[in-house]
Amino acid sequence: MPFELPMLSQFHALLGTVGIWDLVDVLIVAIIFYKVYEMLKDTRAITLVKGLVVLMIVTMIASVMELHVISWLLQKTVTLLFVALPIVFQPELRRALERLGQGKFLGVDNRLNMEEANSLVNEIDKAVFNMADKKIGALLVVEKNVGLNEIIDTGIKIDALVTSEFLMNVFIPNTPLHDGAAIIRGKRLVAAGCYLPLTDDRTLGTELGTRHRSAIGLSEQCDAVIIIVSEETGVVSIAENGRIQRYMNHDSLRQRLRPLFQEEKVSLNFKDIIANWRKKDDE
């Protein structure tokens, strides 16, 4: 107890020095760090960031344990790495400055209300099965939580509202955008003619062509949902989490796509809330 009182008084004294602007300052810094992390997690650069964090932790431990030689080497290494950061993260820094200049650094929520989500799903469903009936090959990527900026940069940026007619025009055979993938973010088609990474899975059947293998390859690296229309058979498939589901129909495709776009509803039924409280009190 005698040791707790001085510590408690010091803690109260420290709280007394904290003002409202200090809290605002900390909040702004926290938001900036979160947005930087959100931007980096969209790319492979997040692995480098984790490596830097581990290296800094090891440096601190070596310093506390007074391992002078190891501490000196690690400090010099960290210094060199920080000098090299602008080179290593050049694409990410450029993208961050672009978003800041466009006023998009804080980002936007791409989820839609129920009416908009149903309309968008119907447009995609109509385009996909029209192309399937005509055996027009197509590759549609629906972005989820992990951003696809690196994939978008490999194609041609469009930024247009998604409609069935527009999607079908993108995949017209013998056109520049036909063989690439189209990226859908929210209700907009942000790019087309994009290149996707091929999967290394050698257990896949020979009936799966380049479109299917690239769709599986991308789904292994992120949480995107990829729709594939086979040019040879007209079969509609979906790739997700490194797996592919074939022979989709209208109902199964709509059922799978609708949760990707529709915002989550939070129930505000006060009668149910009060009933739950009373139930807990009775128990």
Side-chain angles (χ1 to χ4, degrees), residues 1 22 40 57-58 76 95 129 134 145 166 210 239 261 275:
M1 290 296 295
D22 296 317
L40 290 178
I57 293 174
V58 173
K76 297 300 180 182
R95 191 175 297 118
F129 283 98
K134 300 176 182 178
N145 296 320
F166 185 70
T210 304
F261 301 105

Side-chain angles (χ1 to χ4, degrees), residues 95-115:
R95 191 175 297 118
L97 291 174
E98 288 177 353
R99 292 181 63 181
L100 187 62
Q102 296 170 357
K104 299 179 180 179
F105 184 73
L106 294 178
V108 294
D109 190 356
N110 291 318
R111 292 178 299 178
L112 313 173
N113 59 43
M114 183 179 297
E115 183 178 353

